[in-house]
Amino acid sequence: MVIKNALLVDDSKVARFALSKLLENLDMNVSMAGSAEEALEFLGSREHPDVIFMDHLMPGMNGVEATKAIKGNPETASIPIIMCTSQKSLSFTKEATNFGVYNILTKPTQPEGLGLALEQLAIDVKGGTLPEAPQFGLTPDTDEYLADMPDNAAVEMSPEQPDGEPALNGGTAPSVVPLTSDLIEQISRSAVKTHVNHRLHELLSSLFDEQFDHLKRALDESRGKQATMIEERLSAMSGMIEERTRNLHDEVAAEVNLHMGRELADLKKELSQNTGFTSNHMDELKDHITSVQTIDTDFWQTLQSEAIQQAHEISRETAEDIAQRTIDLFVAQQRSASSKIYTVALAVSLGVFSLGIAWLAGLFG
């Protein structure tokens, strides 16, 4: 929704409070004014709201006059105004539309009607279909009969002047409206009705405000007394719980101590009766020793057989290793002996050859 900020104008605190709650439930920011004059001052000094909820009947400047003042100001003429009134007749609706009211809500305002009005307003604002501000003339705000009077009309308080007789001081005689009994009665009824409506509205607003203030004070006092009473009861209950907890703790501790004492006494008695080994204990011990010996014998036999097998394997591996080393040594020795014989033979051969050479040299020398 594009409508987020609203100005609520009403002289009744009760009406302002009720309508502001409905608007806040629709996530709107609400500013309030207690009179039309205060609303005009608000519009002149602060940021303009998205919509104005205007009360119809208020002391001083009423809702109609305030609407005309707002629509007559170019800076505020575009703000849509929703009038809240108990007079939602067809004639009043038409008249209110003529002097710039966007919509009319019947007091007391219902959530459904308020929601529909704001939804339609959002659609018109988004689509740019808001009605243009009316242009007010200078004719006085009177009943339809009086609104049709000429601008220079005057009420005739004396007998009519003869035709053609000039006016006093040489001026032009104004248009004269005859002061008939019907006109006097209509003016009187209109004035009395307006005065009575304003007075009744003031009295009802004052009564509602007094009742609202009295109810608010009563609620505040009731809440204060209730809070005090609750605090006193909580304190008393807390003290009672602490006392009962302390007593319960003492009782539980005493019961635990008594139970532990009994258990210790029974244990001491049982130990005193069983100071040595009984025949059953000896039989159990013999069985245990026998089973242990059996287990040990089996273990040692298994260990001995494994040790003998490992000794055989070690002996076999050692014999194989010694045999291999002996063969390698014999082969090496054989190779060494063959090499020595060959060397001696070679030396002998060389010596014989040298002697032969020498002999031949001496022989042929």
Side-chain angles (χ1 to χ4, degrees):
M1 180 183 292
V2 296
I3 309 300
K4 286 296 182 181
N5 301 308
L7 174 61
L8 201 163
V9 185
D10 201 313
D11 62 316
S12 173
K13 295 180 181 179
V14 178
R16 291 200 303 268
F17 178 79
L19 185 54
S20 65
K21 290 301 179 183
L22 294 179
L23 294 174
E24 288 174 357
N25 291 336
L26 297 175
D27 296 330
M28 295 186 63
N29 300 320
V30 181
S31 301
M32 292 185 284
S35 64
E37 292 81 0
E38 184 179 350
L40 294 178
E41 183 179 357
F42 177 91
L43 294 174
S45 59
R46 300 185 185 180
E47 185 177 356
H48 294 166
D50 299 325
V51 61
I52 299 175
F53 291 89
M54 181 72 67
D55 185 27
H56 180 201
L57 299 176
M58 292 184 291
M61 180 182 291
N62 58 29
V64 175
E65 295 171 347
T67 300
K68 290 184 177 181
I70 294 172
K71 293 299 180 180
N73 186 354
E75 296 182 357
T76 59
S78 60
I79 304 176
I81 298 176
I82 298 177
M83 182 162 288
C84 302
T85 180
S86 57
Q87 300 179 1
K88 194 176 180 182
S89 61
L90 183 60
S91 59
F92 178 77
T93 302
K94 184 178 180 180
E95 182 183 0
T97 304
N98 291 334
F99 59 69
V101 172
Y102 172 77
N103 201 345
I104 298 176
L105 294 178
T106 304
K107 295 178 69 174
T109 306
Q110 301 299 321
E112 295 80 6
L114 178 62
L116 292 176
L118 290 176
E119 288 179 3
Q120 184 61 43
L121 177 59
I123 294 173
D124 291 338
V125 170
K126 187 175 181 180
T129 58
L130 284 174
E132 296 182 358
Q135 300 295 328
F136 298 107
L138 299 176
T139 56
D141 183 18
T142 58
D143 294 335
E144 293 182 359
Y145 181 82
L146 299 177
D148 294 335
M149 293 182 181
D151 293 341
N152 60 348
V155 178
E156 182 182 20
M157 300 300 295
S158 59
E160 295 184 2
Q161 296 179 356
D163 294 338
E165 185 174 347
L168 297 177
N169 299 327
T172 303
S175 301
V176 178
V177 177
L179 188 61
T180 62
S181 58
D182 293 337
L183 179 59
I184 295 174
E185 182 179 359
Q186 185 175 5
I187 295 174
S188 300
R189 287 181 178 180
S190 178
V192 170
K193 182 179 178 181
T194 303
H195 179 73
V196 170
N197 287 336
H198 281 286
R199 185 57 181 167
L200 285 176
H201 184 71
E202 292 176 0
L203 292 175
L204 289 175
S205 298
S206 177
L207 179 62
F208 285 146
D209 291 342
E210 291 178 0
Q211 291 180 352
F212 178 76
D213 293 337
H214 177 71
L215 180 61
K216 186 176 180 181
R217 286 194 300 270
L219 288 175
D220 293 339
E221 293 177 359
S222 177
R223 288 175 181 173
K225 292 180 179 179
Q226 186 177 6
T228 304
M229 186 181 301
I230 291 174
E231 186 176 357
E232 292 177 354
R233 289 185 178 180
L234 287 176
S235 299
M237 187 176 295
S238 177
M240 181 179 63
I241 291 174
E242 290 180 358
E243 183 178 359
R244 291 187 177 180
T245 303
R246 184 168 54 253
N247 296 333
L248 181 62
H249 179 270
D250 296 338
E251 293 177 0
V252 171
E255 187 68 23
V256 170
N257 290 332
L258 180 60
H259 180 71
M260 292 297 294
R262 291 175 181 175
E263 292 289 336
L264 289 174
D266 295 339
L267 182 60
K268 288 180 180 179
K269 185 177 180 181
E270 184 178 357
L271 291 175
S272 64
Q273 292 177 355
N274 300 323
T275 55
F277 285 104
T278 63
S279 59
N280 294 329
H281 291 162
M282 291 299 294
D283 293 337
E284 291 178 359
L285 181 58
K286 288 180 180 180
D287 294 339
H288 180 70
I289 292 173
T290 302
S291 62
V292 170
Q293 287 178 350
T294 303
I295 293 172
D296 291 342
T297 302
D298 295 338
F299 175 76
W300 283 111
Q301 289 178 354
T302 303
L303 183 61
Q304 185 177 4
S305 62
E306 290 181 356
I308 292 171
Q309 184 178 0
Q310 290 181 0
H312 284 301
E313 291 179 357
I314 293 172
S315 299
R316 182 178 55 79
E317 291 176 357
T318 304
E320 291 177 355
D321 188 22
I322 293 172
Q324 184 66 36
R325 289 183 180 181
T326 303
I327 292 170
D328 293 339
L329 181 61
F330 177 77
V331 171
Q333 290 177 354
Q334 289 295 326
R335 290 178 180 177
S336 177
S338 299
S339 177
K340 288 180 180 181
I341 292 172
Y342 176 77
T343 303
V344 171
L346 180 61
V348 171
S349 299
L350 290 175
V352 172
F353 182 74
S354 298
L355 289 174
I357 294 298
W359 181 75
L360 289 175
L363 180 61
F364 293 100

